[in-house]
Amino acid sequence: MIWYPFTLQFEPDSPVKIVRAKEEFLYDEKGNSYIDAISSWWVSIHGHNHPKILQALKDQMDQLDHVLLAGFTHDPAENLAAELLRITEGLFQRVLYSDNGSTAVEIMIKLAYQYFQNIGETQRKTFIKFDTSYHGDTIGTMSVGGDSVFNRVFAGLLFPTKEFPTPNCSFCPVGKKPDSCAAECVNAVESYLEENPNSIAGIVLEPLIFGSGGMIFYKEEVLQKLERVAKRFGTLLLVDEVFTGFGRTGALFAYQKAKIQPDLVAIAKGLSAGTAAVAVTLTTEKIHSAFVTPDPAKGFYHGHTMTGNPIACAAALASVTLFQEENRLDQVRNLEAKMKKGLKKIAEEFPNAIRDCRVLGAVGVLELEVGKESGYTYPGNKILKKKFLEKGVVLRPLGNVIYLTPPYIISDSSLEKVFAAIRETLSEISLGK
């Protein structure tokens, strides 16, 4: 009946029916509980069903369910936009609403492309991307994503881009060490722009962590160098904070942690903490000004039916407020320390099984050593997920990469149970000590 996402249709497993949720726990129809160690695809940063967000939803439903945002406005959309511009410290001046991360990034791409068309630099049509990046499943976002099982079959539909190796501080593509490198991993980007100074519209990337491509970490200096290169050649910097936004890397936004100033930023997931479908694209006045013209051909004709939905905006505003009131960044710092200790201990217990252990903010990773079978389609992935679930833990490894992205409010006892489930599973599947 339902075609479930990211699920092979040949002999699919029966899905677990979840009937309620609270804090870091999911409960199925049989009464079993599961620790949601991935925040249900990285969204439930406050845990599930936080009463303050639920109350904001209920209050808004009593007033206004929906109105189109073309020619109309309302308080939730205005108040959320004002708060987002405040917490991004004046860097951005305009907020474009959409309903998910893919569309927020799609808007970034379209804005960057049309910006150069509007100002007369019509030769700037190409985007730079990285080979393990993932930005969503629309045609535009797949085009700026790396070649993978997610988009390979659609190659004939995608627009041309220029691809470079992903910065990777665990396994450097140019053989450097993080403590002694000078971000040489992006020298090739700079060289390409020197040879093609007027053809690139934008550099599109996930800041500090390439998420779905394998939770690949890289240092802040790489972003800083890319910013300098982009400014030098008049290229726009498009930052996808769909995953990293709202504390996941240890700062409110990863671009702030790296102390850079992108031209466009896409935000979703933690924005509403999983309670409503809402996303935003933030843009500077530099970009916006190119669209302020009486020429109708230079207008930005993009929108969605549920753009700026009042209920979704109310939920997002409650989430953003809660993030600050309940000191989520302090919780992330504590969580980071605990995951570093817990995952390092597991890595030491299974030295032959674990290729790399890394933690940044509220993201913890154990990358398994599986030889040529590594990658998203690693066949052991299905076994790992099943065994974790049997132990009451929701983890969905990215191929051979086991990652934790728990709610920031997860209890110490739940976190220890997650560690125990990983330890037991590694023992059971004979990834030896």
Side-chain angles (χ1 to χ4, degrees):
M1 183 169 61
I2 298 174
W3 192 325
Y4 294 95
F6 299 102
T7 301
L8 294 178
Q9 297 304 295
F10 178 73
E11 297 182 352
D13 292 332
S14 297
V16 179
K17 181 175 284 189
I18 299 300
V19 295
R20 64 186 181 92
K22 185 175 178 61
E23 297 172 340
E24 70 263 41
F25 297 102
L26 302 171
Y27 299 89
D28 70 15
E29 60 184 343
K30 299 177 182 177
N32 299 312
S33 66
Y34 306 90
I35 299 169
D36 186 358
I38 59 167
S39 299
S40 286
W41 271 342
W42 322 337
V43 298
S44 301
I45 59 176
H46 309 297
H48 293 277
N49 283 2
H50 194 289
K52 289 187 178 180
I53 302 179
L54 294 184
Q55 190 59 54
L57 284 165
K58 293 171 183 175
D59 291 345
Q60 183 56 46
M61 284 190 284
D62 287 338
Q63 298 297 319
L64 174 65
D65 56 353
H66 183 63
V67 63
L68 69 160
L69 206 64
F72 296 88
T73 190
H74 50 79
D75 284 343
E78 292 182 353
N79 293 340
L80 176 59
E83 181 63 7
L84 290 173
L85 296 182
R86 185 189 72 79
I87 63 176
T88 51
E89 302 170 323
L91 176 58
F92 304 103
Q93 281 76 46
R94 299 289 165 172
V95 177
L96 289 85
Y97 284 109
S98 54
D99 55 7
N100 67 77
S102 294
T103 54
V105 175
E106 191 91 8
I107 288 171
M108 281 205 304
I109 297 165
K110 291 177 68 174
L111 280 173
Y113 183 92
Q114 189 176 344
Y115 167 78
F116 286 112
Q117 300 300 303
N118 281 7
I119 67 172
E121 295 188 34
T122 56
Q123 75 281 8
R124 289 187 181 267
K125 297 181 178 181
T126 303
F127 289 88
I128 286 175
K129 67 179 183 181
F130 295 92
D131 62 3
T132 63
S133 59
Y134 172 86
H135 298 286
D137 298 319
T138 57
I139 297 299
T141 56
M142 286 193 296
S143 296
V144 296
D147 175 53
S148 70
V149 69
F150 300 120
N151 58 19
R152 195 165 295 138
V153 69
F154 303 109
L157 296 176
L158 309 184
F159 59 72
T161 54
K162 180 61 180 176
E163 183 175 277
F164 291 89
T166 296
N168 185 336
C169 283
S170 294
F171 307 99
C172 180
V174 294
K176 298 288 183 176
K177 298 294 183 183
D179 57 355
S180 60
C181 80
E184 288 93 343
C185 57
V186 291
N187 281 355
V189 175
E190 184 171 21
S191 296
Y192 183 82
L193 282 166
E194 288 173 345
E195 296 168 3
N196 303 273
N198 301 310
S199 65
I200 303 301
I203 301 172
V204 188
L205 78 167
E206 301 161 82
L208 300 184
I209 303 176
F210 286 84
S212 295
M215 295 294 167
I216 297 167
F217 297 178
Y218 64 98
K219 64 182 189 176
E220 297 165 21
E221 288 83 352
V222 174
L223 280 176
Q224 293 163 5
K225 187 169 184 175
L226 285 172
E227 179 191 37
R228 291 194 300 271
V229 169
K231 290 185 183 302
R232 177 183 166 195
F233 293 101
T235 296
L236 300 181
L237 190 60
L238 286 63
V239 172
D240 176 354
E241 292 259 14
V242 170
F243 166 47
T244 54
F246 289 99
R248 192 54 74 176
T249 66
L252 182 58
F253 297 106
Y255 82 82
Q256 292 175 331
K257 187 179 182 75
K259 298 179 177 62
I260 65 167
Q261 296 188 338
D263 298 285
L264 294 152
V265 167
I267 304 170
K269 293 192 182 291
L271 175 60
S272 71
T275 56
V278 60
V280 298
T281 304
L282 305 181
T283 178
T284 61
E285 190 56 37
K286 168 188 170 182
I287 305 298
H288 174 252
S289 63
F291 295 83
V292 182
T293 168
D295 184 353
K298 292 185 176 181
F300 187 60
Y301 297 102
H302 185 110
H304 305 274
T305 303
M306 301 301 287
T307 291
N309 171 260
I311 296 171
C313 288
L317 183 58
S319 176
V320 174
T321 302
L322 195 60
F323 186 95
Q324 298 165 90
E325 289 181 348
E326 298 195 357
N327 300 316
R328 290 289 180 253
L329 286 180
D330 286 343
Q331 291 177 312
V332 170
R333 282 187 281 271
N334 290 332
L335 182 56
E336 180 180 47
K338 292 168 185 173
M339 288 202 294
K340 282 182 177 178
K341 181 179 178 181
L343 294 180
K344 180 182 178 182
K345 186 176 180 181
I346 295 173
E348 291 171 346
E349 292 175 20
F350 296 87
N352 298 323
I354 296 173
R355 185 185 184 211
D356 189 47
C357 172
R358 52 188 182 268
V359 177
L360 178 63
V363 183
V365 178
L366 291 173
E367 184 168 340
L368 302 183
E369 181 60 77
V370 294
K372 294 181 180 180
E373 293 181 324
S374 65
Y376 188 80
T377 54
Y378 165 58
N381 183 20
K382 188 174 182 178
I383 297 172
L384 287 170
K385 285 189 290 187
K386 182 178 180 181
K387 285 190 171 291
F388 291 141
L389 207 59
E390 290 171 352
K391 295 170 177 54
V393 174
V394 177
L395 287 170
R396 288 178 60 91
L398 294 162
N400 61 308
V401 175
I402 299 171
Y403 73 89
L404 281 66
T405 52
Y408 305 157
I409 54 85
I410 189 171
S411 65
D412 289 351
S413 60
S414 289
L415 193 59
E416 288 300 324
K417 289 178 182 176
V418 175
F419 294 152
I422 295 172
R423 183 179 289 108
E424 292 167 15
T425 296
L426 293 179
S427 295
E428 291 170 3
I429 62 176
S430 300
L431 287 174
K433 295 187 178 181

